[in-house]
């Protein structure tokens, strides 16, 4: 069974590679709509697995909520719907849910009776919420970069490195078209990228998670070899061998961990820099960096200016120690190469 | 005396009347002051606490003169009814407030008394007392996103200064 799906995946991969080489490159809009279609199909299929409504019991934990028992639907109710049963404060301020001790995105349906805690940015230990927020901002940056360039130029999103919050900026690794190798972004272009991000934030789009088998993920990213490798990497790391895809608007992306509920949670967001790293297998690797703060933790403009200045410096991430304590963001060469 | 309305209306009169008369008032204040010196934090009505405050600070000023001073010793022995507190005043409280020029006491309001009179209550303390603070200092959570970013910023600056120097 596993070999058959792997064979199918291999066939699809070779066929798609040949097709990509032979035919003209599909335009960005076509790629996006194809990914969207596969995502929607898989989402509908997963929803259809629960034809009858079955009830589960969710017991809430948290300040003022201890022991509250909510009766929700299996496979349909999300932590956000549990928050909706509580108060508007919970809906607006919850960032992530902790279901039986496991970080759970707000829009992912619950499958079993469990105990749930809603995390906010102002808890006594908001580390998980901070990490999720950082990852979501990086994902947003990736989405902006994907849609920012003209159709003549390809944009390859590489895997987003897991950067700790103290390093000052979130990063998104990207490999642009070879025609843009000599291009360095000016202030104006960074500002227009920021504007693009602010538009997405203003639309308040939800990040819809979907846990899929690696074959479906490979089908979603059938036009991008780089993404398919990333899918395989993530599938190998996951204990059950499944991959989580997220969709924001019409952009489908991969992420290492849970993302925040919706884009409207960010308030101050700026794309600060685009540094060129070394030449890699996909072209010239570039690192786009940004700085963001959520709606509940806005900074005074003086503080923001200082943090932003720091966020322009290159953030070094050593590939082998992604989970280690923060590395100082100076421009010394990384200890290991890739 | 002339029976005018002026005697009945008390606009602008700052001196308070307490107890049965002026002597009773002084005795009451003496008891309060003794309690304050013994326990360093007392709970009374707001008016009494406000009255005692003046005398408490004056007493400390006298104590700062030292126990060899005749006048200071007379004052201390008059105002403190429990004589074991006189050494405490000269040896503990006076050195504590050596650097302060004024403002040795702190007054804070309390919820009204539970009795039928619902009197306005206050707590009066000498500064530097061993009890937990009346206004607890609320520490900012170090782990919030903005504080973590600022921490990274501070470390970065410290590193830059270290490499520059």
């Amino acid at each position: 069974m596993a070999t058959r799906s792997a064979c199918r995946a291999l066939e699809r991969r070779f066929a798609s590679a040949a097709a990509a080489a032979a035919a003209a490159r599909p335009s960005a809009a076509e790629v996006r709509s194809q990914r969207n279609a596969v995502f929607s199909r898989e989402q509908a299929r997963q929803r259809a697995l629960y034809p009858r409504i079955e009830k589960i019991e969710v017991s809430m934990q948290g300040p003022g909520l201890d022991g509250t028992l909510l009766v929700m639907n299996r496979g349909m109710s999300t932590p956000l719907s549990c928050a909706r049963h509580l108060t508007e404060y919970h809906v607006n301020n919850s960032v992530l849910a902790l279901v039986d001790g496991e970080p759970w995105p707000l829009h992912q349906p619950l499958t079993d009776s469990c105990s749930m805690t809603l995390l906010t940015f102002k808890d006594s230990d908001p580390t998980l919420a901070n990490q999720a927020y950082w990852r979501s901002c990086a994902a947003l940056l990736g989405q902006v970069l994907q849609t920012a360039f003209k159709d003549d130029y390809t944009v390859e999103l590489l895997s987003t490195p897991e950067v700790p919050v103290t390093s000052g900026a979130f990063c998104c690794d990207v490999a642009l078209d070879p025609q843009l190798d000599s291009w360095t972004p000016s202030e104006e272009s960074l500002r227009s990228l920021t504007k693009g991000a602010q538009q997405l934030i203003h639309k308040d789009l939800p990040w819809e998670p979907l846990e899929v088998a690696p074959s479906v993920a490979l089908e979603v990213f059938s036009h991008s070899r780089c993404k398919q490798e990333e899918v395989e990497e993530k599938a190998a790391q996951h204990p059950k061998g499944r991959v989580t895809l997220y969709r924001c608007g019409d952009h489908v992306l991969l992420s290492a961990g849970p993302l925040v509920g919706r884009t409207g949670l960010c308030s101050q967001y700026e794309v600060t820099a685009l540094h060129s790293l070394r030449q890699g297998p996909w072209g010239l690797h570039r690192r786009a960096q940004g700085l963001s703060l959520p709606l509940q933790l806005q900074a005074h403009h003086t503080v923001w200016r200082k943090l932003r200045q720091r966020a322009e410096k290159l953030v070094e991430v050593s590939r082998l120690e992604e989970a280690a304590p923060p590395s100082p963001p100076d421009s010394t060469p990384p200890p290991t190469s890739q | 005396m002339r029976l005018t309305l002026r005697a009945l209306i008390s606009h602008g009169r700052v001196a308070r009347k307490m107890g049965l008369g002026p002597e009773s008032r002084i005795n009451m204040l003496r008891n309060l002051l003794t309690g304050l010196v013994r326990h360093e934090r007392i709970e009374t009505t707001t008016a009494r606490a406000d009255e005692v405050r003046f005398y408490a600070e004056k007493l400390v000023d006298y104590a700062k003169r030292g126990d060899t001073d005749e006048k200071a010793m007379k004052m201390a022995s008059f105002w403190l009814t429990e004589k074991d507190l006189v050494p405490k005043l000269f040896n503990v409280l006076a050195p504590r407030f050596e650097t302060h020029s004024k403002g040795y006491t702190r007054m804070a309001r309390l919820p009204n008394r539970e009795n039928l009179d619902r009197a306005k209550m206050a707590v009066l303390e000498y500064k530097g007392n061993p009890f937990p603070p009346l206004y607890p200092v609320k520490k900012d959570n170090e782990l919030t996103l903005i504080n973590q970013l600022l921490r990274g910023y501070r470390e970065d600056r410290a590193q830059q200064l270290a490499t520059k120097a």
Side-chain angles (χ1 to χ4, degrees), chain A residues 123-124 126 130 165 310 313, chain B residues 141 143 145 149 152-153 156 160:
Chain A
D123 297 337
S124 42
N130 293 348
V165 174
R310 187 185 173 221
K313 289 193 262 178
Chain B
N141 188 5
L143 296 170
L145 187 65
L149 285 170
Y153 176 79
D156 199 30
Q160 274 180 1

Side-chain angles (χ1 to χ4, degrees), chain B:
Chain B
M1 56 170 282
R2 226 159 34 128
L3 296 164
T4 53
L5 260 179
R6 215 146 169 254
L8 299 168
I9 298 173
S10 85
H11 287 177
R13 313 274 177 96
V14 293
R16 277 195 193 89
K17 291 185 198 174
M18 269 164 39
L20 309 161
E23 202 181 320
S24 161
R25 171 180 163 272
I26 291 288
N27 288 339
M28 204 189 286
L29 291 174
R30 201 158 41 158
N31 289 335
L32 282 166
L33 191 49
T34 308
L36 180 63
V37 171
R38 179 179 286 287
H39 301 111
E40 295 191 33
R41 188 187 274 182
I42 56 170
E43 244 182 58
T44 57
T45 59
T46 311
R48 287 178 198 171
D50 197 46
E51 286 285 297
V52 165
R53 227 178 158 184
F54 170 80
Y55 292 96
E57 309 218 336
K58 273 275 185 285
L59 189 66
V60 172
D61 284 330
Y62 270 109
K64 275 188 186 176
R65 289 197 204 177
D67 57 358
T68 45
D69 193 80
E70 200 41 60
K71 177 84 176 157
M73 190 45 88
K74 270 197 187 155
M75 276 290 171
S77 64
F78 172 78
W79 279 97
L80 299 172
T81 52
E82 288 152 26
K83 300 306 166 192
D84 53 326
L85 294 174
V86 174
K88 179 181 174 182
L89 177 71
F90 284 106
N91 301 333
V92 174
L93 291 180
R96 191 196 286 178
F97 298 121
E98 232 167 339
T99 47
H100 295 55
S101 68
K102 53 179 181 170
Y104 318 118
T105 54
R106 192 181 282 129
M107 196 166 97
R109 259 199 81 171
L110 288 176
N112 289 359
R113 208 195 258 151
E114 297 301 320
N115 296 358
L116 183 63
D117 63 3
R118 305 302 281 179
K120 217 170 158 183
M121 296 297 276
V123 58
L124 183 68
E125 62 166 16
Y126 270 124
K127 288 184 187 170
N129 64 67
F131 305 118
L134 282 176
Y135 295 103
V137 183
K138 205 168 171 195
K139 285 228 81 171
D140 227 4
N141 188 5
E142 245 312 298
L143 296 170
T144 55
L145 187 65
I146 192 166
N147 284 344
Q148 289 280 293
L149 285 170
L150 285 171
R151 189 184 122 200
Y153 176 79
R154 259 179 260 129
E155 283 170 9
D156 199 30
R157 291 279 291 197
Q159 213 186 38
Q160 274 180 1
L161 287 171
T163 49
K164 229 186 270 181

Side-chain angles (χ1 to χ4, degrees), chain A residues 25 48 81 93 100 102 121 139 172 175 177 200 292 294-295 301 305:
Chain A
R25 212 173 10 89
S81 39
N93 292 59
D100 286 337
E102 211 189 295
F121 285 115
C172 181
D177 201 273
L200 282 175
S292 170
L295 208 55
H301 65 88
R305 210 170 292 157

